Amino acid sequence: MKTDNKYQKIRFHQALTKRAIVLFISLFLLSESSAVSAGNYGLKIVQNLETTQQNNTRAEAKKLTDEGIQLFKQGTAESLTKAREKWQAALVLWEKLGDKSQQAVTLLGIGRIYSDLGEKQKGLSYYNQALSLFRAVGNRGGEATTLNNIGLVYSDLGEKQKALSFYNQALPLIRAMGDKNGEATTLNNIGLVYSALGEKQKALGCFCLFG
């Protein structure tokens, strides 16, 4: 396989992974409403106050999350650092609200930023927290994306067999969802690992499946 094609594939999977992060975070910015009912007037006032506080907290968390997305898209070291600060502030609020889905997505984004800025071990720490929460809430798409990202970190760290293990965990989840772009990204990642391990035929087989 030509060197130019290899680098094109690397850029391809990096771009898809970045878009996946933005998409996951954006999808979870949907509003949620809750009804309040009480048997007496005093309790109803208390519940209304609590609901208002929760709504205000949720609105602030969404605002911080959205601001983080815009900064993340810029892709500079400065904007990524600012995006991380926004998402870390949002994470505190999502935890306060007990929203595990939003916590997972935010942890995934923070992990990606740490990884992009070269702090791989911190990235892994956030990814592992996100993975546990995605599994707890049954979000297979989030789980697959996180497994892929963990694989990328281990690959960057030179731990190719560990990377391969996480990619192979992600692949059946992605295929079960019918996500062709995600499948292509994961196969590309697996192919790059096999290539690095000197198993060129296996690598070529992975690249040919989506190339």
Side-chain angles (χ1 to χ4, degrees), residues 99-114:
D99 191 326
K100 290 184 178 181
S101 292
Q102 290 283 10
Q103 289 175 54
V105 173
T106 308
L107 287 164
L108 175 62
I110 295 171
R112 171 61 194 267
I113 290 175
Y114 271 118

Side-chain angles (χ1 to χ4, degrees), residues 32-160:
E32 295 181 8
S33 60
S34 58
V36 177
S37 61
N40 60 69
Y41 184 69
L43 181 57
K44 186 172 183 179
I45 291 175
V46 172
Q47 289 182 333
N48 283 337
L49 286 172
E50 290 176 350
T51 300
T52 299
Q53 290 172 349
Q54 288 180 346
N55 288 341
N56 289 341
T57 300
R58 185 172 294 278
E60 179 62 19
K62 289 181 179 180
K63 178 175 177 291
L64 289 165
T65 301
D66 187 59
E67 289 172 351
I69 289 173
Q70 300 310 312
L71 288 163
F72 180 79
K73 287 178 179 179
Q74 294 177 29
T76 66
E78 181 181 2
S79 68
L80 289 176
T81 299
K82 290 180 178 178
R84 184 181 64 201
E85 292 171 357
K86 295 286 187 181
W87 287 345
Q88 285 173 327
L91 181 61
V92 173
L93 299 180
W94 294 128
E95 289 173 344
K96 182 178 179 180
L97 290 164
D99 191 326
K100 290 184 178 181
S101 292
Q102 290 283 10
Q103 289 175 54
V105 173
T106 308
L107 287 164
L108 175 62
I110 295 171
R112 171 61 194 267
I113 290 175
Y114 271 118
S115 180
D116 283 356
L117 293 177
E119 298 185 64
K120 303 297 183 181
Q121 292 301 330
K122 282 190 176 180
L124 279 176
S125 175
Y126 278 91
Y127 284 154
N128 285 323
Q129 292 176 67
L131 184 61
S132 294
L133 287 174
F134 278 129
R135 285 172 170 168
V137 300
N139 185 330
R140 294 302 180 88
E143 181 181 353
T145 299
T146 308
L147 288 166
N148 240 324
N149 284 15
I150 292 173
L152 284 170
V153 172
Y154 278 122
S155 182
D156 289 342
L157 291 173
E159 299 186 53
K160 301 300 182 181

